[in-house]
Amino acid sequence: MEDRARTAASASRAKTSDSDTLHQNYVTPGMSGQPITTVDGSKSFTPTIACQKTANLLEVLIQPNGTGDIGLVRISRDKDLDGKFDTSATLPVPVSGICANGLISCNPGTWNQCRSFRWDLDAAKDLKLTQVDMPELAGCYCINNSCGSNLVFGNLASVLKDLGGGMIGALTTADPRIGVAEARINGPVIDYVGAQTTACTASPAIGQTSYRTNPAAIQGDAFALSSSNRVFQALAASPAGSGKAQQLRACTITREVTVREVKVEDVISRTAGGYATIDDGAGDVDFLMGSPSNNSLSGGSCRLFDFKMTLHVEDPDRLKSATLPSYFVDDWGQLRIDGTLVTYGPGAWTGSGYPPGKCERKRTSYFAPNIDLKPWLTKGDHEIWLRVAVGGGGEAFAQVHAEVDISCKTAERLVDLCSGYAADPKCSLSEERVDGVQTFRNGVATGLKPLPQTRLFGSASCTLQLTRDFFERERTYVCTTDSAALPEPDLSRGAYIIDHSTETLLADRQKASDGSVTTSSRTFALPAQGAVPACEAICKTRAPKANTAAAPDGVVANRQNVPSGYDTFYHTCDAANVCPAGPGEEVVSACGCLDDFPEAVVMMQTVRLAGADMTCTSVVP
């Protein structure tokens, strides 16, 4: 039996010992429609978990330049999974740093004037870069000459995987049908073998992903499905399914707060016409139109000139005011918004034809009507039309002034994933922590309540200080899964065996169908056990590494006394008790029963406390 167990364990480890082996034996053939062999190799089958497959899902080619930045990134993609590339594009910016979900572009060879970009998809489902604040990115590190030399070529495989991984993450997030079977690196190129899963549908919003956007819905859907399922009801009514059991279900109530910087163009912008937009940066903006230079218009005896400017209003609620503070014409003028006449001068020129008087007035007429234009500027596009009648030489000018609320745009909502359990009469609250304070323990209120907290949200340019009673509730509910009565188990026989048996004597007590009880005892001995090692021998190694990690304040190495560090590795020792150290690694601890648990605890506590809020516990008078 022991030999059979060791043989089965060895066969299983040979096929699933690490991620690369698991990928090779199961993931890649499964996604590619190739045969998969059972653990013992006795049987094989071809799974069908993909309805379309392509070896050209995504190809990324990179080419570093002399500054260490990646100057060329060419992305080729097979969008319809027919085996041929449909689109090919290059990034519009050089790559100075790579993040798990985006990249950073700086002045070549430096970490100055850096911009952060996140991988997104446009309306055509093509990859694009969206400029964001750096805190929205994760796992960023520097690759250009400001952090070291030859970092890209020296770490080509990991750079390609990190850069391509961000793109794949954006693609699979937007379309969950897409699966990646394999990533292959060939020099400066990484290719992804892809497949579309069996949820083959024209829309990526498949039913299997609906619970991602609404996790609380799964409980109600599961109950509704079980109520109408004959197999479930048959099992629930069977002797094996009857009885009463309890389950612990954890959930959270989280307060989500988003803060976004608002610019003038987010509220109102000039999309066509006009000749200038003057923004003072404080929310006041002027849109200028016409031809203001003296005698810049030649009218002859009488000629009509039309100047049109389109203003797009995106958020009318933030448009505090919009006026026509001034305009001047030589000789006649009228101004319309979306075809409606707003003002005219110097005479009663209200029609669309020539003015009702002599065209040449031999002077420029200045007006300051300060008309309120806000009633016309609803959400959408609006055409400002300045018509001028000129006799001889003339000019025209109109100014639209807007005052915009550019205060930070905030949104707050409670994401309650506990509502289903709270409304279920079979569930009761067992444990609750509110912002780290335990308010319920074993179904009983502790009497503790957290004080209102004040937290900061947003970025340096747009910060919100918010005080609320709570920001996160962590709850555990105890739920009864069935209402039928479960008979109490008879544990008397087991208790008798434990109490009356010894290392060499096995005592027993059995109850017959007529209620009589008989006791017995017999000698027994455990079979000899083979010697096993005290542990699996492992060794600890380390390899030097330049610290290229990046944060909003810059490259981390620039804030350290020693800008380089070490990567630590643990290896399983071979049969000869030799440490299989990798290239460039030095052995820190030789093969043996290593116990680095205290060090791991210190590391985890350091990370936890570094991210925790600082609390003042005393006041200095």
Side-chain angles (χ1 to χ4, degrees), residues 285-569:
V285 60
D286 292 286
F287 304 102
L288 310 182
M289 62 185 302
S291 179
S293 300
N294 186 40
N295 290 332
S296 57
L297 303 176
S298 178
S301 59
C302 190
R303 184 179 175 185
L304 299 179
F305 293 89
D306 289 321
F307 300 94
K308 295 183 179 181
M309 176 174 66
T310 301
L311 297 181
H312 176 74
V313 179
E314 180 63 28
D315 190 353
D317 294 335
R318 284 183 170 261
L319 184 62
K320 296 193 290 187
S321 68
T323 59
L324 180 68
S326 66
Y327 74 97
F328 61 79
V329 292
D330 180 4
D331 298 284
W332 297 73
Q334 56 180 205
L335 189 137
R336 289 180 168 85
I337 297 181
D338 296 333
T340 302
L341 184 64
V342 175
T343 184
Y344 50 84
W349 183 22
T350 60
S352 59
Y354 288 95
K358 185 177 179 181
C359 209
E360 178 60 58
R361 299 183 61 87
K362 298 185 181 300
R363 67 178 182 273
T364 301
S365 301
Y366 294 87
F367 306 93
N370 203 30
I371 299 173
D372 183 11
L373 304 180
K374 189 176 178 181
W376 286 281
L377 297 181
T378 56
K379 183 179 177 65
D381 292 333
H382 300 279
E383 183 182 70
I384 313 298
W385 178 9
L386 174 62
R387 167 164 282 194
V388 186
V390 179
E395 60 274 351
F397 168 82
Q399 172 191 6
V400 176
H401 177 75
E403 295 182 11
V404 176
D405 177 10
I406 59 172
S407 60
C408 298
K409 187 174 183 179
T410 63
E412 178 182 350
R413 67 167 184 162
L414 280 177
V415 181
D416 188 356
L417 302 182
C418 299
S419 59
Y421 303 137
D424 191 343
K426 298 180 181 179
C427 298
S428 60
L429 182 61
S430 175
E431 307 280 339
E432 181 185 57
R433 285 184 177 271
V434 181
D435 294 334
V437 178
Q438 187 158 20
T439 58
F440 267 78
R441 182 186 295 116
N442 296 327
V444 180
T446 62
L448 301 177
K449 290 185 178 180
L451 296 174
Q453 295 193 41
T454 300
R455 295 187 181 182
L456 292 177
F457 299 90
S459 59
S461 60
C462 200
T463 304
L464 172 66
Q465 180 173 298
L466 200 63
T467 302
R468 291 291 183 267
D469 293 338
F470 78 93
F471 286 91
E472 184 174 38
R473 294 180 183 269
E474 300 173 84
R475 289 180 171 178
T476 300
Y477 283 86
V478 176
C479 299
T480 302
T481 58
D482 203 344
S483 59
L486 181 68
E488 293 291 333
D490 183 7
L491 303 179
S492 60
R493 182 184 180 190
Y496 182 88
I497 295 174
I498 294 174
D499 293 340
H500 295 80
S501 298
T502 65
E503 294 180 356
T504 58
L505 182 69
L506 176 64
D508 195 5
R509 185 177 72 172
Q510 297 181 0
K511 180 184 290 187
S513 58
D514 58 0
S516 60
V517 176
T518 60
T519 60
S520 64
S521 63
R522 61 182 177 87
T523 59
F524 83 105
L526 292 173
Q529 299 296 310
V532 295
C535 67
E536 183 179 35
I538 61 172
C539 60
K540 179 179 179 181
T541 65
R542 70 176 187 179
K545 178 188 177 183
N547 191 355
T548 58
D553 195 37
V555 179
V556 175
N558 295 335
R559 300 291 187 269
Q560 296 178 320
N561 294 330
V562 180
S564 61
Y566 292 92
D567 281 339
T568 301
F569 306 93

Side-chain angles (χ1 to χ4, degrees), residues 152-203:
V152 175
F153 279 122
N155 306 275
L156 189 59
S158 61
V159 167
L160 283 169
K161 289 181 179 178
D162 293 340
L163 187 63
M167 303 180 195
I168 290 295
L171 288 173
T172 54
T173 299
D175 191 347
R177 300 171 302 172
I178 297 176
V180 176
E182 185 180 4
R184 300 177 299 201
I185 296 177
N186 183 16
V189 179
I190 184 169
D191 292 293
Y192 290 92
V193 178
Q196 182 173 313
T197 62
T198 51
C200 297
T201 174
S203 172

Side-chain angles (χ1 to χ4, degrees), residues 9 28 62 64 66 68 72 168 213 219 267 290 300 322 329 332 337 380 412 487 527 613:
T28 298
I62 67 172
L72 172 67
I168 290 295
T213 57
Q219 181 186 3
V267 180
V329 292
W332 297 73
I337 297 181
E412 178 182 350
D613 293 336

